[in-house]
């Protein structure tokens, strides 16, 4: 699986958009970009994923550059409850192969401030 | 429901004692299952993964082992715990193309 690079920490004002970047310059054509977040002492929670098109769901938006070497997770109106560690990973989305495994880096600690 | 059950939530064990952490999953059959460990303030390290009953792949050499006796059961074990085995252990699953991971609530293990 391709490695990802994220800033270790970011701050965001409550109510403002939080834009979390991720670099994945060695991503392969069949690898998806996934985002998860982990609130202290809990298991990570899936947020969103995409291959090459931008994606949006009830939690966030994912913007993937045209060359797919980087992406940005956007939380449109951050709340205090969005304070968490956010992980960006890339992996091949296959079942019954070892390609489904991933390693999570240290992620970005997002702190939403009132 | 793709629920994952992990227990216990916290565990304190002496050095040299055995370990058995169990993870059971609900939902779609034949999921991929994973054991991750997280050190304090760090990311998740993949320890083992399984694509089916009795099929275990180890990612890193270590003092731990894993087994999958049933489709929806994944067990992490050790015969003799080391201090370095302390950490937050997470079980995860995924099924199908494009499916993200679903994580359990984790077990925080402290070896003393």
């Amino acid at each position: 699986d391709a490695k990802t690079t994220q800033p270790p920490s970011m701050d965001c004002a409550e109510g403002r958009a939080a834009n979390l970047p991720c670099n994945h310059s060695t991503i392969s054509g069949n690898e998806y970009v996934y985002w998860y977040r982990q609130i202290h002492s809990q298991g990570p929670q899936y947020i969103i994923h995409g291959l090459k098109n931008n994606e949006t769901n009830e939690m966030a938006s994912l913007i993937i550059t045209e060359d797919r070497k980087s992406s940005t997770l956007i939380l449109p109106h951050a709340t205090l409850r969005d304070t968490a560690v956010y992980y960006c990973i890339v992996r091949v989305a296959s079942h019954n192969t070892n390609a489904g495994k991933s390693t999570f880096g240290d992620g970005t600690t997002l702190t939403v401030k009132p | 429901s793709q629920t994952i059950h992990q227990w216990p939530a916290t565990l304190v064990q002496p050095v040299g004692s055995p370990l058995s952490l169990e993870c059971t999953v609900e939902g779609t059959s034949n999921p991929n299952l994973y054991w991750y460990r997280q050190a304090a303030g760090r990311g998740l390290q993949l320890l083992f993964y399984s694509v089916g009953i009795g099929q275990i792949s180890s990612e890193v050499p270590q003092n731990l082992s894993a087994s999958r006796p049933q489709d929806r059961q994944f067990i992490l074990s050790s015969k003799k715990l080391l201090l370095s085995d302390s950490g937050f252990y997470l079980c995860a699953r995924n099924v199908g193309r494009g499916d993200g991971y679903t994580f359990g609530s984790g077990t925080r293990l402290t070896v003393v």
Side-chain angles (χ1 to χ4, degrees), chain B residues 24-47:
Chain B
T24 60
V25 303
E26 298 176 4
T28 309
S29 62
N30 198 29
N32 290 334
L33 297 176
Y34 308 82
W35 276 112
Y36 282 89
R37 177 171 60 199
Q38 186 175 33
R42 301 302 303 275
L44 282 67
Q45 179 188 35
L46 180 61
L47 301 177

Side-chain angles (χ1 to χ4, degrees), chain A residues 24 27-36 46-57 61-65 68 70-73 88-93, chain B residues 98-100:
Chain A
H24 30 80
I27 192 171
S28 299
N30 61 348
E31 288 183 312
Y32 288 70
V33 180
Y34 288 79
W35 282 85
Y36 294 81
Y46 166 82
I47 299 174
I48 199 168
H49 77 281
L51 184 62
K52 51 184 177 182
N53 296 323
N54 297 336
E55 302 288 344
T56 295
N57 62 21
S61 295
L62 174 62
I63 307 299
I64 303 174
T65 58
R68 302 208 325 122
S70 65
S71 61
T72 300
L73 179 74
C88 165
I89 66 169
V90 293
R91 70 176 179 93
V92 175
Chain B
D99 185 47

Side-chain angles (χ1 to χ4, degrees), chain A residues 1 30 32 34 36 38 40-46 49 85 87 89 91-107, chain B residues 29-32 34 36 38 41-46 49 51-52 57 59 88 90 94-106 108:
Chain A
D1 290 341
N30 61 348
Y32 288 70
Y34 288 79
Y36 294 81
Q38 185 177 26
H40 184 62
S41 297
Q42 298 181 22
Q45 174 192 24
Y46 166 82
H49 77 281
V85 179
Y87 297 100
I89 66 169
R91 70 176 179 93
V92 175
S94 296
H95 182 54
N96 282 342
T97 73
N98 62 7
K101 59 187 175 70
S102 292
T103 295
F104 290 63
D106 291 342
Chain B
S29 62
N30 198 29
N32 290 334
Y34 308 82
Y36 282 89
Q38 186 175 33
R42 301 302 303 275
L44 282 67
Q45 179 188 35
L46 180 61
Y49 65 93
V51 299
S57 296
E59 284 295 291
F88 189 43
L90 290 154
N94 80 309
V95 291
R97 184 175 293 275
D99 185 47
Y101 291 112
T102 299
F103 284 86
S105 54
R108 189 164 303 281

